[in-house]
Amino acid sequence: MDITLHPIATITNKRAAPTDDFWGDTLSEITLLPHIPEDAFKGIEEFSHLEIIYFFNKADDSKIVFAGRPRGNPAWPEMGIFCQRKKDRPNHLGLCTVELVEHSGRTIKVKSLDAIDGTPVLDIKPVFKEFGLKSEIKQPAWVGELMSDYWK
């Protein structure tokens, strides 16, 4: 089965290349593409947070590893690709929850988006409290180490 997706917007920010850390001060603008009407953003300012689904268009299929140590760190256990959030994944999909900073016409400004300049956006969804976590998050200790500088 083939699935065809088309970008709905593009990300603009100061990040030219994917890096592992220090995304905290990155502000991004997401601008609708011409085929998407401005009305698609009508009422978006009523939400504080959004989920951005984007395509890792610079990812390289030859770098997909279905199991390996996160960031190649020998201190961390070997984990399957679906236990990691790396860009080199089978369908090159990224997902990030962001804070909406501003809405102006065809553009929204967000913070806490870990996507580089020029990244195509596939979908945007508002965060509803009712879709939030129903139980406590469980994760291995290495995740906290890996993420320690991610949002700095």
Side-chain angles (χ1 to χ4, degrees), residues 27-146:
L27 282 175
S28 299
E29 289 186 350
I30 299 174
T31 303
L32 296 172
L33 293 175
H35 69 281
I36 303 295
E38 185 177 322
D39 280 354
F41 279 156
K42 187 174 185 172
I44 202 163
E45 60 279 342
E46 294 186 42
F47 295 92
S48 63
H49 292 80
L50 307 168
E51 293 175 321
I52 310 299
I53 302 165
Y54 51 97
F55 185 70
F56 292 120
N57 59 315
K58 306 259 176 158
D60 182 349
D61 282 340
S62 69
K63 293 184 179 179
I64 297 171
V65 176
F66 286 89
R69 297 181 188 282
R71 295 191 185 175
N73 187 330
W76 295 333
E78 187 168 313
M79 303 296 288
I81 187 66
F82 301 129
C83 302
Q84 302 182 49
R85 294 187 61 107
K86 60 187 353 181
K87 69 181 178 350
D88 299 312
R89 22 190 348 96
N91 284 311
H92 304 300
L93 292 178
L95 169 67
C96 196
T97 302
V98 301
E99 183 178 344
L100 178 62
V101 175
E102 180 182 308
H103 168 225
S104 178
R106 303 182 59 75
T107 300
I108 56 174
K109 188 179 289 186
V110 301
K111 64 181 179 179
S112 301
L113 176 59
D114 58 352
I116 63 173
D117 187 62
T119 298
V121 175
L122 300 174
D123 206 350
I124 299 170
K125 295 182 178 217
V127 172
F128 290 2
K129 281 193 256 184
E130 291 77 9
F131 279 102
L133 304 174
K134 307 293 184 256
S135 59
E136 188 174 337
I137 293 175
K138 174 185 166 191
Q139 66 184 28
W142 64 264
V143 174
E145 294 173 33
L146 181 142

